[in-house]
Amino acid sequence: MIYFDKEQQVFHLSNKKISYLIAIEENNYLSHLYFGKKINQYSGNHRYPRIDRSFSPNPPNSTDRNLSLDTLLMEFPGNGFGDFREPAYNIKLTNGSRIVDFRYKDYRISTGKEKLSGLPATYTTNEGEAEILTLILEDKVSQLNLEISYSIFSYLNVITRSAKLINFGAQKVEINRLASLSLDFPATNFDLLHLNGTWARERYLTRESVNTGIKVLDSKRGSSSHQQNPFAVLAESSTSENYGIAYGFSLIYSGNHETVIQKDPYDQTRLIMGINSYNFSWQLEAGKSFQTPEAAMVFSEDGLNGMSQTFHELFNHHLTRGQFKQKERPVLINNWEATYFDFDEPKIMKIVDEAANLGIEMFVLDDGWFGNRENDQSSLGDWFEHPTKLVSGLKGLSQKVHQKGMKFGIWFEPEMISEASELYKVHPDWAFAVPSREKSLGRSQYVLDFSRKDVRENLYEQMKKVLDNATIDYIKWDMNRNMTEVYSKLLPADQQGEVAHRYILGLYEFLEKLTKEYPNILFESCSGGGGRFDPGMLYYMPQTWTSDNTDAIARLKIQYGTSLVYPISSMGSHVSAIPNHQTGRKTSLKLRGDVAMSGIFGYELDLTALEMSEKNEIKEQVTFYKKHRRLLQYGKFIRLKSPFEENETVWMLVSGDMTEALLFYFRVLAEASNPITTLKLTGLSEDICYRIGEKNYFGDELMNLGLPINPELQGDYMSEVFYLEGK
């Protein structure tokens, strides 16, 4: 899959779907030639035109006025020797200079997929699934080496990238930026698509034109954040869900991140993605190395759906791990919106009894079971059982739940500490704080310094006692505030710029140990809902609570946007009570169930307060979901109509062999004398006859003539689900 043409001095990465071309130019600079649909053979003629651009200097040791790094499509650009665009790296040397001039030195090609030290990354399970090209660059003056790694998979239109800086010199250097990837495109009119929002409105889709200048998508919050997901798309302006070219970029990282998009005066576009350079510095000692997170690049000529399906397959097969990879996830009931902090064992068991009767498979005990936790003012950091709430304790309660034939889960928030806690009395110094300054509260809590080994060890031992005492099948891992006063008391002044990244490395170390010691526990990540929904967390926890906003109408946009990059198997989605606790909206149980089924299905309401008709409807929903669970969690997800553009939202899931599918239709507001909706489906087999209710349709008929929606469907907030069974 990787070939080096010595005569042309070109590296060609290719599989059956894509090609990626890198050239060694004059003076051993690396240029980017191409990323896109597969090219069988490269002639060598497609090199960047040499033209004299005024005020674009020539590279060092070059007298060719037609060559400038300021206009050349660069593979991993620097700054200070002719390229005035955004650099992929910024390194300060001991003499104060930031001129680091990396030139190509060597390469190596290997099979398989290397692990990244201390970082989550994609992996392979079978021989021959991937190959790696490592390009070795050097700056002879500073004696720094840069290793840029490219992995190409045998059957996916994906290339993953990362970079490692190695200090072979005698003096330490300071890294202020080291990107995971940089990609230059020739003159093209791109649209930029990205996922932004806030709490309860995560991953809303924005599409805008890429204009001349610089745009930065980032998080400085210590996490991947509700506000800006570490993901971006460059798509041709004509690209739709099913047609056109799209390039998707996803950073496998859970902390501060940035994506820089720059369009130069010649309409060339550069995209850089990696750890956020704001307030970042890393002291790289002599003989040491620094590894960046991995980033995945996807090329699609089949529109945004094609891009999304590639990301879904990559994350499902080559990122999530453990025994829950590709396994069907249980239907759960969570007590949070049913009880909040006000619960005891009898109240919990009434919910459990109702859940068991309805076919629900797991009960999750949310916040409030530990310390002296009666509200969100106290006890974070005290991971021992509340003295009075559970008369049987967690062990006894878990046994009672298991006796009902259900699994048992609990909630943790290990990265945080309350001032009103036993842990804070002993270790106030473990919370992030800047000397001589007051600390900022968020949700009445502080952030623990997870860059410290002693902090991690204490929290791990506390969790271990709980997990070894009771039979726990599931953990919801929460993080309910962003980081402020990011300062570690164990590090010297010149290393304070490392703290945010060291925190994430410490978190990853903790999660690696925890998930290995407790492989039978299903972990779900949460951060006030979707505040840390990123590929880095999926490496350790195969699913994430998509949003604290459980309103079905709001979830149409949230889940639609999330699906642009993340698979349905990763998206926790629950039916909650009405009026909805976040929006106050009232919607039918049917609509709430239909939306929640397009994810990892569950309930978050008081089952004991429902009418018998509602319980019967829930029982039917659970039965339907279990029957079609494999298709719902792992079917090919196809978006047909966007809630960001229309009053209707439509998506579908199709089995791998195309013998069955589920089509979901949602309408927000009713209209008088509205047009008749006919849905043209995709992803079906032209030759299969599909049964829908009492009628039969051939696949080509459904994809070209379409499926009509009942024009007599009345009212706001309506939904219909169609099961397509191939005959």
Side-chain angles (χ1 to χ4, degrees):
M1 291 184 282
I2 300 174
Y3 171 71
F4 179 51
D5 186 329
K6 292 183 180 179
E7 182 179 347
Q8 301 289 346
Q9 291 288 284
V10 169
F11 294 94
H12 188 174
L13 295 79
S14 69
N15 55 27
K16 293 180 180 180
K17 298 182 178 182
I18 58 172
S19 286
Y20 191 102
L21 297 169
I22 306 164
I24 305 172
E25 303 286 357
E26 300 95 317
N27 299 317
N28 285 335
Y29 287 108
L30 289 180
S31 73
H32 175 73
L33 296 181
Y34 176 75
F35 178 35
K37 188 175 180 179
K38 179 181 175 62
I39 295 172
N40 288 321
Q41 289 188 339
Y42 171 65
S43 67
N45 293 315
H46 188 84
R47 303 294 272 259
Y48 192 86
R50 301 306 194 244
I51 184 171
D52 186 357
R53 299 285 194 185
S54 296
F55 285 85
S56 292
N58 315 122
N61 300 323
S62 174
T63 58
D64 182 1
R65 296 182 62 171
N66 294 325
L67 176 64
S68 174
L69 304 184
D70 193 33
T71 56
L72 191 66
L73 301 180
M74 301 294 291
E75 190 59 32
F76 205 81
N79 186 276
F81 41 89
D83 189 347
F84 295 99
R85 295 166 291 180
E86 282 291 298
Y89 60 90
N90 182 7
I91 302 166
K92 183 179 179 181
L93 305 180
T94 52
N95 65 0
S97 167
R98 294 182 182 271
I99 307 300
V100 179
D101 189 3
F102 285 116
R103 312 285 185 98
Y104 169 78
K105 178 183 179 183
D106 201 356
Y107 76 96
R108 61 177 180 265
I109 297 172
S110 56
T111 58
K113 190 74 170 56
E114 297 175 353
K115 287 188 175 183
L116 298 188
S117 177
L119 288 163
T122 57
Y123 62 88
T124 57
T125 54
N126 299 314
E127 188 175 349
E129 278 188 328
E131 292 182 5
I132 299 177
L133 169 67
T134 302
L135 298 178
I136 303 168
L137 288 71
E138 68 173 348
D139 177 63
K140 292 182 178 179
V141 173
S142 64
Q143 294 184 280
L144 293 173
N145 272 22
L146 179 67
E147 295 189 354
I148 312 172
S149 293
Y150 306 76
S151 298
I152 182 167
F153 292 83
S154 60
Y155 71 102
L156 290 172
N157 46 342
V158 174
I159 289 176
T160 65
R161 288 182 58 174
S162 66
K164 182 165 72 172
L165 185 67
I166 307 169
N167 186 357
F168 288 112
Q171 304 292 324
K172 73 176 180 180
V173 300
E174 181 178 291
I175 305 170
N176 295 128
R177 173 188 278 175
L178 187 63
S180 296
L181 74 84
S182 179
L183 194 59
D184 282 1
F185 293 91
T188 308
N189 289 321
F190 278 127
D191 281 355
L192 169 67
L193 289 80
H194 54 102
L195 302 176
N196 51 75
T198 184
W199 175 82
R201 194 161 44 80
E202 298 92 338
R203 289 170 302 287
Y204 270 35
L205 174 60
T206 295
R207 182 167 185 162
E208 57 189 287
S209 297
V210 176
N211 298 311
T212 302
I214 296 173
K215 186 177 183 69
V216 179
L217 312 173
D218 77 343
S219 170
K220 304 179 183 73
R221 297 170 177 267
S223 66
S224 49
S225 83
H226 302 82
Q227 283 70 19
Q228 192 72 57
N229 202 259
F231 167 75
V233 181
L234 291 176
E236 293 181 344
S237 57
S238 60
T239 296
S240 64
E241 285 287 11
N242 295 314
Y243 304 100
I245 288 176
Y247 296 89
F249 306 89
S250 179
L251 185 66
I252 304 174
Y253 188 63
S254 306
N256 294 333
H257 59 88
E258 70 179 346
T259 301
V260 180
I261 304 97
Q262 181 176 23
K263 188 173 185 178
D264 70 14
Y266 309 112
D267 289 341
Q268 299 174 147
T269 301
R270 171 173 291 176
L271 185 142
I272 298 171
M273 177 177 276
I275 296 172
N276 201 322
S277 57
Y278 178 78
N279 282 352
F280 172 78
S281 64
W282 192 275
Q283 304 300 317
L284 188 63
E285 300 286 345
K288 299 294 184 180
S289 63
F290 180 85
Q291 174 67 58
T292 72
E294 185 176 55
M297 310 186 301
V298 168
F299 167 76
S300 170
E301 60 175 342
D302 298 317
L304 300 175
N305 271 319
M307 177 203 69
S308 299
Q309 289 155 12
T310 300
F311 274 119
H312 296 178
E313 191 166 5
L314 177 70
F315 291 167
N316 272 331
H317 292 275
H318 299 285
L319 184 68
T320 58
R321 304 177 299 162
Q323 65 166 283
F324 298 101
K325 173 185 175 180
Q326 291 291 298
K327 292 292 179 64
E328 295 179 9
R329 314 284 168 72
V331 179
L332 66 83
I333 176 75
N334 183 300
N335 73 296
W336 178 242
E337 289 193 11
T339 66
Y340 292 101
F341 295 102
D342 183 20
F343 65 83
D344 55 21
E345 189 169 311
K347 184 182 286 190
I348 292 298
M349 284 309 301
K350 286 180 182 179
I351 296 174
V352 171
D353 290 341
E354 291 285 359
N357 292 334
L358 299 176
I360 295 172
E361 299 163 308
M362 181 163 66
F363 171 77
V364 177
L365 182 64
D366 211 285
D367 194 352
W369 59 266
F370 55 92
N372 290 294
R373 185 82 157 174
E374 302 294 344
N375 50 48
D376 63 9
Q377 307 287 315
S378 76
S379 301
L380 291 174
D382 295 345
W383 299 107
F384 49 83
E385 294 180 24
H386 192 287
T388 60
K389 283 189 176 181
L390 304 175
V391 294
S392 302
L394 285 177
K395 183 175 182 178
L397 180 61
S398 67
Q399 289 173 345
K400 290 179 180 180
V401 172
H402 285 112
Q403 287 168 4
K404 291 287 182 179
M406 298 173 65
K407 296 181 182 297
F408 178 72
I410 57 174
W411 178 95
F412 278 99
E413 193 176 2
E415 300 166 70
M416 302 293 153
I417 188 169
S418 303
E419 190 168 8
S421 67
E422 297 303 313
L423 185 63
Y424 191 84
K425 290 177 184 177
V426 180
H427 288 292
D429 55 313
W430 283 5
F432 273 152
V434 178
S436 303
R437 294 190 181 276
E438 297 293 326
K439 298 191 291 292
S440 302
L441 280 170
R443 200 174 180 255
S444 300
Q445 60 197 52
Y446 301 124
V447 182
L448 284 166
D449 183 358
F450 249 62
S451 72
R452 294 177 57 151
K453 186 176 181 180
D454 53 354
V455 171
R456 299 195 301 272
E457 288 178 344
N458 178 282
L459 271 294
Y460 193 90
E461 287 305 311
Q462 287 197 61
M463 287 188 69
K464 181 175 172 58
K465 288 179 181 178
V466 174
L467 299 180
D468 290 346
N469 175 54
T471 305
I472 309 295
D473 304 293
Y474 164 102
I475 288 176
K476 180 181 177 182
W477 179 296
D478 215 337
M479 178 202 185
N480 276 313
R481 66 155 293 182
N482 295 133
M483 296 182 193
T484 56
E485 292 84 41
V486 180
Y487 186 96
S488 180
K489 299 174 180 66
L490 295 189
L491 293 176
D494 66 350
Q495 287 188 266
Q496 292 302 321
E498 304 176 11
V499 177
H501 182 55
R502 286 185 179 274
Y503 180 106
I504 298 298
L505 293 178
L507 174 64
Y508 288 155
E509 179 192 79
F510 191 104
L511 296 179
E512 183 72 24
K513 182 180 178 181
L514 186 67
T515 54
K516 279 187 175 180
E517 185 164 357
Y518 299 97
N520 298 322
I521 293 178
L522 172 61
F523 288 86
E524 179 172 279
S525 172
C526 179
S527 178
R532 199 162 60 184
F533 202 140
D534 60 68
M537 294 305 291
L538 289 183
Y539 183 77
Y540 304 98
M541 303 183 181
Q543 60 191 60
T544 301
W545 180 225
T546 312
S547 176
D548 279 348
N549 189 344
T550 54
D551 174 61
I553 296 301
R555 275 298 188 106
L556 292 175
K557 288 184 176 180
I558 293 169
Q559 292 177 205
Y560 193 98
T562 302
S563 76
L564 212 66
V565 57
Y566 300 106
I568 305 307
S569 62
S570 68
M571 295 163 51
S573 187
H574 297 171
V575 175
S576 61
I578 55 170
N580 180 265
H581 290 199
Q582 290 79 43
T583 66
R585 198 185 336 256
K586 294 181 180 180
T587 55
S588 68
L589 184 55
K590 172 177 167 46
L591 176 74
R592 284 175 277 153
D594 290 346
V595 173
M597 283 184 194
S598 304
I600 303 303
F601 190 49
Y603 293 86
E604 196 148 338
L605 42 71
D606 188 353
L607 295 173
T608 66
L610 300 180
E611 300 290 337
M612 184 56 67
S613 60
E614 294 175 304
K615 294 177 184 179
N616 289 336
E617 189 171 356
I618 286 176
K619 195 169 187 178
E620 291 175 1
Q621 289 177 345
V622 171
T623 299
F624 181 88
Y625 188 82
K626 288 179 179 178
K627 181 179 179 180
H628 301 291
R629 175 160 33 197
R630 189 77 198 173
L631 176 59
L632 286 163
Q633 294 183 356
Y634 295 103
K636 179 184 287 186
F637 187 76
I638 301 170
R639 296 177 300 271
L640 297 178
K641 286 196 171 188
S642 170
F644 296 99
E645 299 172 0
E646 303 185 52
N647 187 43
E648 299 169 314
T649 302
V650 186
W651 55 58
M652 60 188 294
L653 294 116
V654 183
S655 64
D657 60 5
M658 295 182 287
T659 59
E660 61 174 344
L662 279 165
L663 173 69
F664 291 81
Y665 169 84
F666 307 98
R667 187 183 67 201
V668 178
L669 298 177
E671 294 180 356
S673 301
N674 59 302
I676 294 174
T677 296
T678 301
L679 302 176
K680 291 186 178 181
L681 312 188
T682 61
L684 303 176
S685 170
E686 293 182 352
D687 302 323
I688 291 179
C689 182
Y690 294 93
R691 186 172 185 82
I692 306 176
E694 301 300 320
K695 297 180 179 180
N696 296 324
Y697 305 83
F698 281 96
D700 56 356
E701 184 182 357
L702 290 167
M703 291 189 288
N704 295 301
L705 277 74
L707 177 70
I709 296 298
N710 181 7
E712 297 182 359
L713 196 65
Q714 296 292 314
D716 297 338
Y717 313 141
M718 300 302 294
S719 65
E720 283 198 275
V721 178
F722 303 89
Y723 176 59
L724 287 68
E725 184 177 16
K727 297 173 60 181

